[in-house]
């Protein structure tokens, strides 16, 4: 009976605790937690979708907006290259066929491991033109919006992508002052006139370059060509400095061809510019021409200048042919020495 009384007393105490107003409020709060969690989750999902939608309007490489381009041009980061770029790659005899490989070469950015929720999936037309200029070795100055690649991060409360899209304001176009523009035109016109007037005491540039190169004994003259080619073709296979047949040819960014030895001498003595067009040029900018051009150059028929030979030889095999003549001369000289009564070596 005593034990039963104790059990009943405990049950009454537990009932009193449950019926306490503080406990009731706690249970009500716990019940109301579920809808709050669901609303938070739905809000974060919406923000992620908005963030992804904002990314679609940005360039993967430079971070610029497609809205600034009046034609709204964009190109996919992944997938095969377009027809124009493909034609240019074939011209340059390069093997890259997909955008990820090409972008990795030009911009040094690996886009293969990109995630759609973090990285944009397209790049702007401005970056596309940079790729074209890089492949084409264009003399125009390459414009890149940013020196360092853009870092992309997942969406957060202090997200730059979403913040910029909300707070973005269009810049007003600056109206040019007509008086200033007239002054600029006058100054530029005078400068062009001064450039056009040549100094009569100016030294002939070509003769100076030839003296600097001084490669008559090293390089071959165009007169030993076996076929009477057109003048334009002969000019295309000859050096712009010494006017001999190209030996170890190199190409500048402005598309002019020189012998490696000639151009390096001129850059060292005259200055860092192209001798043909005076465009800025440095030894690091020199590139070997396309393989197909080198094949044409090496297959040109050349007459051997040695007396009583006059054999037609390919330019690529010319050195090997001359080495045979030297071997014969050395043997003849060796026999002549022995006949003179000198001891054999």
């Amino acid at each position: 009976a005593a034990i039963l009384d104790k059990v009943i007393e405990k049950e009454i105490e537990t009932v009193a605790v449950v019926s306490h107003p503080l406990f009731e409020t706690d249970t009500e709060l716990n019940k109301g937690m579920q809808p709050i969690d669901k609303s938070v989750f739905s809000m974060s999902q919406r923000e992620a979708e908005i963030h992804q939608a904002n990314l679609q309007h940005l360039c993967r490489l430079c971070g610029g907006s497609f809205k600034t381009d009046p034609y709204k041009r964009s190109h996919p980061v992944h997938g095969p290259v377009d027809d124009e770029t493909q034609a240019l790659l074939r011209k340059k005899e390069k093997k890259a066929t997909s955008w990820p490989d090409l972008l990795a070469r030009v911009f040094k950015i690996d886009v293969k491991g990109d995630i759609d929720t973090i990285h944009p999936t397209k790049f702007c037309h401005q970056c596309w033109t940079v790729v074209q200029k890089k492949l084409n070795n264009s003399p125009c100055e390459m414009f890149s919006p940013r020196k360092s690649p853009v870092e992309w991060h997942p969406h957060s409360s202090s997200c730059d992508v979403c913040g910029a899209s909300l707070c973005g304001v269009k810049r007003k176009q600056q109206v040019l002052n007509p008086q200033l523009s007239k002054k600029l035109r006058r100054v530029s016109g005078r400068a062009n006139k001064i450039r056009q007037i040549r100094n009569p005491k100016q030294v002939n540039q070509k003769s100076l370059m030839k003296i600097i190169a001084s490669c008559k004994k090293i390089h071959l003259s165009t007169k030993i060509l076996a076929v009477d080619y057109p003048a334009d073709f002969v000019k295309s296979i000859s050096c712009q400095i010494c006017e001999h047949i190209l030996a170890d040819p190199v190409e500048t960014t402005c598309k002019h061809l020189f012998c490696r030895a000639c151009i390096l001498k001129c850059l060292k003595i005259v200055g860092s510019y192209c001798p043909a067009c005076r465009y800025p040029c440095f030894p690091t900018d020199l590139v070997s021409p396309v393989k197909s051009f080198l094949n044409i150059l090496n297959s040109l028929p050349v007459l051997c200048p040695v007396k009583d030979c006059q054999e037609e030889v390919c330019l690529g095999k010319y050195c090997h042919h001359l080495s045979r003549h030297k071997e014969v001369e050395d043997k003849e000289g060796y026999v002549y020495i022995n006949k003179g009564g000198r001891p054999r070596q």
Side-chain angles (χ1 to χ4, degrees):
I3 292 163
L4 283 168
D5 290 336
K6 283 179 182 179
V7 170
I8 290 160
E9 283 176 4
K10 282 180 182 178
E11 284 179 359
I12 291 160
E13 284 175 2
T14 52
V15 169
V17 169
V18 170
S19 62
H20 198 271
L22 285 169
F23 189 80
E24 283 175 4
T25 53
D26 289 341
T27 51
E28 284 172 6
L29 284 167
N30 289 330
K31 284 177 185 176
M33 281 297 286
Q34 282 184 340
I36 290 163
D37 289 338
K38 283 180 182 177
S39 64
V40 168
F41 178 73
S42 62
M43 282 290 287
S44 62
Q45 196 172 1
R46 279 180 194 172
E47 284 178 4
E49 287 172 2
I50 292 161
H51 176 75
Q52 199 166 351
N54 290 332
L55 286 173
Q56 298 303 316
H57 299 292
L58 298 175
C59 173
R60 166 68 180 86
L61 305 171
C62 65
S65 177
F66 299 140
K67 292 174 184 178
T68 55
D69 185 6
Y71 301 103
K72 303 285 169 47
R73 292 167 294 184
S74 61
H75 305 272
V77 171
H78 302 284
V81 295
D82 58 302
D83 296 335
E84 196 175 337
T85 311
Q86 187 67 44
L88 189 61
L89 287 165
R90 281 175 189 166
K91 258 188 187 180
K92 294 290 174 183
E93 297 179 350
K94 292 184 178 177
K95 294 179 180 178
T97 53
S98 62
W99 279 121
D101 297 335
L102 200 57
L103 295 174
R105 280 188 186 183
V106 176
F107 293 98
K108 311 294 181 191
I109 297 171
D110 185 19
V111 296
K112 288 180 180 178
D114 283 7
I115 302 163
D116 293 347
T117 54
I118 300 170
H119 304 92
T121 55
K122 295 177 183 179
F123 63 97
C124 63
H125 191 71
Q126 202 169 10
C127 293
W128 182 84
T129 52
V130 171
V131 174
Q132 296 284 318
K133 287 175 183 178
K134 186 76 175 175
L135 290 173
N136 212 9
N137 290 332
S138 178
C140 302
E141 288 184 4
M142 286 176 59
F143 175 78
S144 185
R146 295 197 184 193
K147 290 179 181 178
S148 58
V150 183
E151 291 183 3
W152 300 98
H153 303 286
H155 178 66
S156 62
S157 57
S158 59
C159 180
D160 294 332
V161 174
C162 299
S165 65
L166 289 169
C167 305
V169 180
K170 286 185 178 180
R171 291 180 182 176
K172 291 181 181 179
Q173 290 184 351
Q174 289 181 351
V175 180
L176 290 169
N177 191 344
Q179 291 180 351
L180 284 171
S181 60
K182 280 181 182 178
K183 283 181 181 178
L184 287 168
R185 283 175 194 170
R186 285 174 188 171
V187 170
S188 61
R190 283 173 188 171
N192 288 329
K193 283 177 183 178
I194 290 160
R195 282 175 190 171
Q196 286 170 6
I197 297 162
R198 291 183 179 180
N199 189 357
K201 294 180 180 179
Q202 192 177 6
V203 181
N204 189 1
Q205 202 73 2
K206 278 193 175 181
S207 60
L208 179 66
M209 294 292 179
K210 281 182 182 179
I211 293 161
I212 290 164
S214 62
C215 57
K216 279 185 180 180
K217 294 178 181 179
I218 305 165
H219 299 156
L220 300 172
S221 173
T222 52
K223 292 176 182 178
I224 66 165
L225 288 167
V227 183
D228 188 15
Y229 291 110
D232 291 334
F233 179 77
V234 174
K235 195 176 181 181
S236 67
I237 58 154
S238 57
C239 177
Q240 298 280 324
I241 295 168
C242 64
E243 294 179 351
H244 295 140
I245 298 169
L246 287 162
D248 189 13
V250 288
E251 186 181 352
T252 58
T253 49
C254 49
K255 298 287 184 181
H256 291 116
L257 291 166
F258 302 96
C259 304
R260 191 183 288 275
C262 296
I263 186 70
L264 288 173
K265 281 179 184 176
C266 288
L267 290 176
K268 193 175 181 181
I269 296 165
V270 178
S272 299
Y273 61 85
C274 175
C277 65
R278 299 186 68 83
Y279 183 80
C281 179
F282 300 93
T284 51
D285 299 333
L286 301 174
V287 187
S288 59
V290 183
K291 286 180 183 178
S292 53
F293 175 80
L294 294 172
N295 293 334
I296 292 164
L297 187 69
N298 291 326
S299 63
L300 290 172
V302 178
L303 289 170
C304 180
V306 178
K307 289 180 181 179
D308 302 328
C309 181
Q310 295 297 314
E311 189 180 336
E312 278 191 20
V313 191
C314 292
L315 187 64
K317 296 177 182 178
Y318 179 77
C319 292
H320 181 67
H321 180 77
L322 272 183
S323 64
R324 285 181 183 178
H325 284 298
K326 284 182 180 179
E327 284 176 7
V328 172
E329 284 176 6
D330 291 341
K331 283 179 182 178
E332 286 175 358
Y334 185 70
V335 170
Y336 178 76
I337 289 163
N338 287 335
K339 281 182 181 178
R342 291 185 182 183
R344 289 187 179 184
Q345 291 180 359

